[in-house]
């Protein structure tokens, strides 16, 4: 079985044009964390997302960190963050010595529950501990309920950072994901919908804030002929070579979104009728890039546990994963405050217990997808329901 080619969860998908931009960088000797590809990639991405500007950085994590610095987050502050996400969404809060407070998901989008957010903000206001920022994640490409979340945050005067690392190309009511908050964040890590092997982008309509971001990302050098620094900065800028890779990748973004949506629809057609399988919903008025196709198994109908299914996929050389382990359950964030969907009901705990992500790379062939579907069907053991 292991002789079969491995099917990865979300491998890089090159267009063939990357080399052209890389060669240009070499020919002009722009082998630095600045240069024409960096400038052009920033402009092209900002245009695509529909924001005024962008700052290219070394990772999505770096972009989140810069956003927090720009919002003045410091020791003792609080920052709210979605719980059901990758740890990189919240780690930069801790870099600044601030305290993360985690907010549960809601069933319609699996993203931040506006109700739980409101409860948390209401309590925080009473305790005179309003957060400096709210980090909202668009999980697996699905946008959160941005109208509700923006309205609530605006009413408390709290800035929103949209962690759109997984949702480049997705839409909410006709507007591109990442364009809603004060800052939007994208990642071009190797597993994302487009990649620069490693990289990220901070976007905003605030051009001055982006200038400051570039300043902080280049060691915060004061304007002086000698090296002078009055603030702590970072080495966070994107290389001009990698920005070239990004430019070629961005040219293909619409194709990549369509490919992943096609893969999602195929899985849904083949597995959606099985009682006990439910796919991550796509909220009306939104368009998900379906970065990863994700589904839950209901133990009332299906005997196979998610881990058993993941094991049988691994045995046939197919990489699949559980849904993100919520951050409020992570040892590193032990003791942090958590606001569940309802006082007595946590949605993210349940999604973690029952959810799996299927291989969803845009370069996956029809044949490979059939292999995944067949393996799942073969290994699912259904319960006989007695009426
Ligand atoms: C990938 C990812 C990040 C981090 O991006 P890097 O470029 O890997 O630093 C942040 N948030 C979410 C939700 C992600 O999926």
């Amino acid at each position: 079985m292991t002789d079969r080619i491995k099917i990865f969860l979300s491998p890089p998908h090159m267009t063939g044009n990357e080399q052209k931009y890389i060669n240009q960088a070499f020919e002009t000797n722009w082998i630095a964390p600045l240069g024409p590809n960096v400038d052009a990639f920033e402009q092209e991405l900002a245009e695509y997302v529909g924001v005024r500007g962008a700052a290219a950085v070394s990772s999505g994590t770096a972009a989140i960190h810069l956003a927090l610095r720009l919002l003045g987050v410091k020791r003792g502050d609080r920052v709210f963050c979605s719980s059901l996400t990758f740890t990189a969404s919240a780690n930069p809060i801790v870099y600044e010595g601030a305290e993360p407070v985690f907010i549960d998901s809601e069933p319609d989008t699996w993203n931040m529950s506006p109700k739980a957010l409101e409860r948390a903000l209401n309590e925080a206001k009473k305790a005179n501990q309003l957060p400096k920022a709210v980090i909202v994640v668009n999980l697996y490409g699905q946008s959160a309920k941005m109208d509700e979340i923006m309205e609530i945050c605006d009413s408390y005067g709290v800035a929103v950072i949209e962690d759109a690392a997984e949702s480049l190309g997705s839409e909410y009511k006709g507007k591109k994901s990442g364009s809603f908050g004060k800052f939007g964040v994208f990642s071009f890590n190797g597993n994302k919908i487009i990649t620069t092997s490693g990289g990220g982008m901070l976007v905003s309509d605030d051009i001055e804030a982006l200038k400051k971001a570039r300043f902080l990302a280049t060691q915060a050098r004061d304007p002086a002929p000698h090296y002078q620094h009055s603030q702590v900065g970072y080495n966070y800028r994107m290389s001009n070579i990698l920005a070239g890779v990004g430019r070629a990748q961005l040219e293909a973004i619409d194709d990549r979104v369509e490919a992943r949506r096609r893969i999602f629809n195929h899985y849904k057609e083949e597995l959606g009728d099985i009682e006990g399988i439910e796919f991550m919903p796509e909220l009306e008025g939104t368009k998900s890039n379906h970065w990863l196709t994700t589904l839950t198994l209901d133990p009332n109908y299906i005997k196979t546990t998610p881990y058993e299914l993941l094991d049988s996929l691994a045995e046939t050389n197919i990489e699949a994963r559980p849904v993100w382990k919520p951050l409020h359950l992570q040892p590193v964030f032990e003791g942090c405050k958590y606001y569940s969907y309802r006082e007595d009901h946590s949605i993210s705990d349940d999604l973690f217990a029952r959810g799996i992500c299927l291989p969803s790379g845009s370069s996956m062939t029809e044949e490979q997808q059939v292999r995944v579907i067949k393996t799942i069907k073969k290994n699912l053991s259904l319960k006989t329901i007695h009426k």
Side-chain angles (χ1 to χ4, degrees):
M1 282 298 189
T2 44
D3 57 322
R4 296 213 226 174
I5 292 174
K6 179 157 180 166
I7 302 176
F8 289 98
L9 189 71
S10 181
H13 186 183
M14 294 295 106
T15 66
N17 263 346
E18 290 82 3
Q19 205 63 51
K20 179 183 88 187
Y21 292 104
I22 294 172
N23 289 347
Q24 267 173 22
F26 274 77
E27 281 155 17
T28 53
N29 206 33
W30 277 109
I31 317 292
L34 78 166
N37 280 333
V38 173
D39 298 344
F41 189 34
E42 288 178 344
Q43 262 176 31
E44 287 155 6
L45 188 113
E47 209 164 288
Y48 178 75
V49 174
V51 289
R52 290 188 59 204
V57 291
S58 53
S59 70
T61 313
I64 296 172
H65 190 194
L66 290 170
L68 293 174
R69 268 292 296 269
L70 292 165
L71 291 169
V73 171
K74 55 183 189 322
R75 191 160 295 279
D77 284 340
R78 298 189 170 201
V79 175
F80 289 5
C81 182
S82 305
S83 186
L84 188 61
T85 180
F86 181 45
T87 185
S89 301
N91 279 342
I93 301 169
V94 182
Y95 300 167
E96 286 308 308
E99 193 187 317
V101 173
F102 296 111
I103 312 292
D104 197 8
S105 303
E106 47 93 23
D108 297 349
T109 62
W110 296 16
N111 285 309
M112 186 180 280
S113 157
K115 280 202 192 91
L117 172 65
E118 172 113 61
R119 219 170 62 240
L121 283 170
N122 190 30
E123 264 187 36
K125 186 166 188 182
K126 280 184 194 149
N128 210 11
Q129 280 176 328
L130 275 176
K132 275 269 171 72
V134 174
I135 302 174
V136 183
V137 178
N138 300 315
L139 205 64
Y140 303 125
Q142 171 60 52
S143 177
K145 289 183 173 167
M146 289 315 294
D147 277 354
E148 288 89 334
I149 287 170
M150 290 307 298
E151 194 187 321
I152 294 166
C153 288
D154 284 348
S155 75
Y156 285 89
V158 177
V160 170
I161 299 169
E162 202 184 352
D163 180 350
E166 299 174 3
S167 63
L168 180 63
S170 300
E171 293 174 13
Y172 177 88
K173 298 191 178 173
K175 262 184 80 181
K176 284 281 191 304
S177 195
S179 66
F180 289 86
K182 168 79 188 174
F183 295 105
V185 168
F186 295 100
S187 165
F188 313 114
N189 193 33
N191 61 348
K192 297 303 198 303
I193 191 159
I194 64 168
T195 183
T196 57
S197 84
M201 196 77 86
L202 181 69
V203 304
S204 181
D205 286 328
D206 185 341
I207 298 297
E208 283 308 308
L210 291 172
K211 264 190 207 154
K212 177 105 191 276
R214 292 188 195 96
F215 163 80
L216 289 172
T218 43
Q219 308 286 22
R221 277 176 67 180
D222 293 338
H226 51 278
Y227 285 89
Q228 171 144 323
H229 309 270
S230 39
Q231 291 180 65
V232 172
Y234 315 94
N235 183 3
Y236 273 172
R237 279 294 256 169
M238 181 184 278
S239 134
N240 190 59
I241 299 171
L242 299 186
V245 176
R247 293 183 71 189
Q249 288 271 296
L250 188 61
E251 288 168 358
I253 181 67
D254 288 333
D255 285 347
R256 300 302 185 244
V257 172
E258 287 321 306
R260 293 204 190 229
R261 288 182 61 82
R262 203 161 51 237
I263 286 164
F264 171 85
N265 286 330
H266 188 191
Y267 279 132
K268 203 168 171 185
E269 269 162 34
E270 290 292 331
L271 303 168
D273 288 339
I274 299 171
E275 207 148 21
I277 285 190
E278 264 194 73
F279 284 80
M280 183 178 184
E282 191 167 3
L283 184 71
E284 214 186 304
T286 68
K287 180 180 175 181
S288 172
N289 67 12
H290 286 299
W291 173 55
L292 295 182
T293 290
T294 304
L295 54 80
T296 54
L297 304 179
D298 183 343
N300 293 316
Y301 295 96
I302 296 171
K303 267 190 261 176
T304 320
T305 67
Y307 279 94
E308 286 166 350
L309 190 57
L310 292 176
D311 281 347
S312 49
L313 287 164
E315 272 165 27
T316 53
N317 226 1
I318 295 168
E319 186 188 28
R321 290 281 171 85
V323 161
W324 296 126
K325 180 173 181 172
L327 299 186
H328 73 275
L329 299 177
Q330 296 286 1
V332 67
F333 294 118
E334 207 183 316
C336 290
K337 247 175 137 40
Y338 173 57
Y339 287 86
S340 53
Y341 178 65
R342 284 199 311 259
E343 309 264 5
D344 59 348
H345 185 40
S346 171
I347 299 287
S348 60
D349 284 65
D350 178 54
L351 291 172
F352 172 56
R354 302 195 296 110
I356 63 171
C357 306
L358 299 180
S360 307
S362 48
S363 56
M364 188 160 68
T365 63
E366 176 90 12
E367 202 182 3
Q368 288 176 325
Q369 206 185 351
V370 169
R371 214 177 103 196
V372 179
I373 291 163
K374 279 192 176 154
T375 310
I376 293 172
K377 283 185 172 167
K378 198 175 122 202
N379 288 284
L380 266 192
S381 145
L382 305 180
K383 284 188 177 166
T384 336
I385 308 287
H386 298 284
K387 301 208 169 121

